[in-house]
Amino acid sequence: MHVAAILAAGGIGSRMGSAIPKQLVDLGDSTNMLARSLSLLLGCPLIEQVVVAVPPGSSVGEIASPRIPLEVVQGGATRHQSVLNALGRVTDAADLIVIHDAARPFATRDLLERTIRAAEAHGAAIAALPVVDTVKQVEHGTIRATLPRETIFLAQTPQAFRRAVLERALAAGDVHATDEASLVERAGIPVHVVPGEAGNLKVTTPADLEQARVLARSTKTSMMRIGTGYDLHRLVEGRPLILAGVRIPFERGLQGHSDADIVCHAVTDAVLGAAALGDIGSLFPDTDVKWKDADSLLLLRGAMEKVSAAGYAVVNVDVTVIAERPKLLPYIDAMRANLASALAIDVSAVSVKGKTNEKVGEIGMGDAMACHTVAMLQGGERQA
Ligand code: MG
């Protein structure tokens, strides 16, 4: 199966009453409907080409598409014409075509993939939502009938079709059709329905746009991620004591392959854990001589490069060091400053606390030190 996607963004959104096309209006999070819908399609591993039909005279701006080809065509006077224009640029290799409206920027990748898979199985498939309200048929302000609501579904996009099915339906076409499925139905071809999503809002009116802005904000906060880190090393004679990159005068130091900085190690694991990017041992194996006596602040910076590349930024970290001795208070600010620099955040977002183990166990006897950390990350635009 070779899948091409068409993004219908050619409409000017006359019902929005806005000076610029509705799909380019900022949703308050520096994205717009077109950018969000495009990133959904470009990020779907089943799709191998995207063709976007934009309103005449506008462009999609700078959109990086490293994985798959992205083509931009001018939209037509009608949706039908826009889809035809886009279809003209779909590669010959494509045997399945999925069409999505830019005005539905909150469809999920799961919905997209379910629709594509259903079209692969059945020839034609669309996302549609069952109705929950009782449905009345009304004429001239008076109810004519109560319709059996279990037979009523609200059509959404994505809609996906085998190429031959779509081409046949479009050729027979009605230029005023509001979706492709209705053309396929009219051609006598069964269209399979996959469960749509209530969150797959179609943004048509200024009120919808307000709701879209609220949704854009809420999907942003749902991108918060949390991670924990823990480390423990033995205290031995003849080693320096280094915590968060600060050399602390003490008669013993932590034993380990690197500088054995338990604070950096626990913080590294917490940020990697929050991003689900593995752990310090997988990134910097202690079997590698490269990390012998390594400065663990550099390891933390290395982990942060991975975290940033995945689209995350650190919001804050909270660190607890468990050590019977020495007193850490005089060094806390220097430790916080080192961590803040490595994490690229303000020192006010870095907390470091010292704790004794009440003389209990190995830590209490002064034979080891341990560190616990939690880290919160924000971001993760990893769909593409
Ligand atoms: Mg360690």
Side-chain angles (χ1 to χ4, degrees):
M1 180 180 62
H2 187 118
V3 183
I6 291 176
L7 184 63
I12 54 162
S14 49
R15 275 179 283 180
M16 192 63 73
S18 152
I20 59 171
K22 65 177 179 179
Q23 51 273 40
L24 300 177
V25 172
D26 187 11
L27 292 178
D29 63 345
S30 308
T31 69
N32 54 53
M33 288 189 259
L34 179 60
R36 276 181 168 259
S37 301
L38 254 185
S39 111
L40 169 73
L41 299 177
L42 291 171
C44 175
L46 301 179
I47 292 174
E48 284 160 88
Q49 181 198 17
V50 175
V51 183
V52 52
V54 299
S58 64
S59 79
V60 296
E62 284 297 305
I63 292 183
S65 176
R67 191 179 65 83
I68 55 170
L70 170 66
E71 308 259 351
V72 180
V73 299
Q74 298 282 298
T78 61
R79 177 197 173 84
H80 185 74
Q81 191 57 51
S82 293
V83 170
L84 280 176
N85 291 358
L87 192 59
R89 295 279 281 275
V90 167
T91 159
D92 288 342
D95 46 24
L96 197 141
I97 293 163
V98 58
I99 300 171
H100 187 55
D101 282 344
R104 292 187 183 273
F106 301 109
T108 66
R109 188 191 290 179
D110 176 62
L111 180 63
L112 183 61
E113 293 190 358
R114 283 191 287 114
T115 310
I116 291 170
R117 300 254 185 240
E120 188 186 17
H122 301 281
I126 73 164
L129 206 59
V131 294
V132 288
D133 297 325
T134 301
V135 180
K136 306 291 188 188
Q137 188 178 30
V138 177
E139 245 172 50
H140 309 301
T142 306
I143 292 171
R144 275 201 53 198
T146 298
L147 303 178
R149 75 175 164 199
E150 59 281 4
T151 68
I152 308 285
F153 283 75
L154 306 174
Q156 301 185 333
T157 67
Q159 305 195 347
F161 312 93
R162 283 196 207 125
R163 185 186 193 130
V165 167
L166 181 64
E167 285 178 343
R168 199 171 119 200
L170 286 172
D174 164 1
V175 296
H176 300 297
T178 53
D179 73 350
E180 285 62 47
S182 47
L183 300 175
V184 173
E185 294 152 39
R186 232 170 290 165
I189 300 162
V191 180
H192 189 80
V193 167
V194 302
E197 293 171 339
N200 185 13
L201 169 75
K202 183 169 186 185
V203 180
T204 306
T205 64
D208 298 334
L209 188 61
E210 276 318 300
Q211 199 184 340
R213 289 194 163 121
V214 171
L215 274 171
R217 274 198 299 276
S218 71
T219 52
K220 198 171 179 188
T221 46
S222 73
M223 286 297 177
M224 294 288 210
R225 309 265 302 216
I226 198 159
T228 74
Y230 168 77
D231 199 22
L232 176 147
H233 282 246
R234 288 177 187 281
L235 276 167
V236 293
E237 286 178 6
R239 288 270 300 180
L241 175 61
I242 297 169
L243 296 176
V246 179
R247 208 181 173 106
I248 296 175
F250 191 51
E251 69 260 22
R252 300 175 128 198
L254 294 166
Q255 186 178 42
H257 183 68
S258 65
D259 62 7
D261 185 335
I262 50 170
V263 176
C264 284
H265 294 182
V267 172
T268 300
D269 266 357
V271 294
L272 288 174
L277 287 172
D279 65 13
I280 189 168
S282 59
L283 254 61
F284 313 105
D286 62 8
T287 49
D288 190 334
V289 290
K290 196 162 48 170
W291 312 121
K292 174 105 175 75
D293 298 322
D295 175 351
S296 294
L297 274 174
L298 294 179
L299 305 190
L300 176 55
R301 286 180 190 274
M304 276 306 296
E305 279 174 26
K306 298 242 173 219
V307 167
S308 305
Y312 294 104
V314 176
V315 177
N316 75 304
V317 296
D318 185 20
V319 176
T320 301
V321 181
I322 310 171
E324 209 58 34
R325 281 194 317 125
K327 284 264 173 270
L328 298 181
L329 195 59
Y331 310 102
I332 293 282
D333 283 343
M335 292 165 69
R336 291 174 67 205
N338 281 351
L339 293 175
S341 164
L343 296 167
I345 51 177
D346 191 82
V347 73
S348 63
V350 179
S351 155
V352 176
K353 316 184 294 296
K355 198 103 188 131
T356 76
N357 216 42
E358 295 286 338
K359 298 192 165 56
V360 175
E362 288 79 1
I363 296 173
M365 299 303 290
D367 291 330
M369 279 188 187
C371 182
H372 294 270
T373 297
V374 291
M376 180 164 279
L377 307 187
Q378 186 171 32
E381 304 299 325
R382 286 204 297 163
Q383 289 206 327

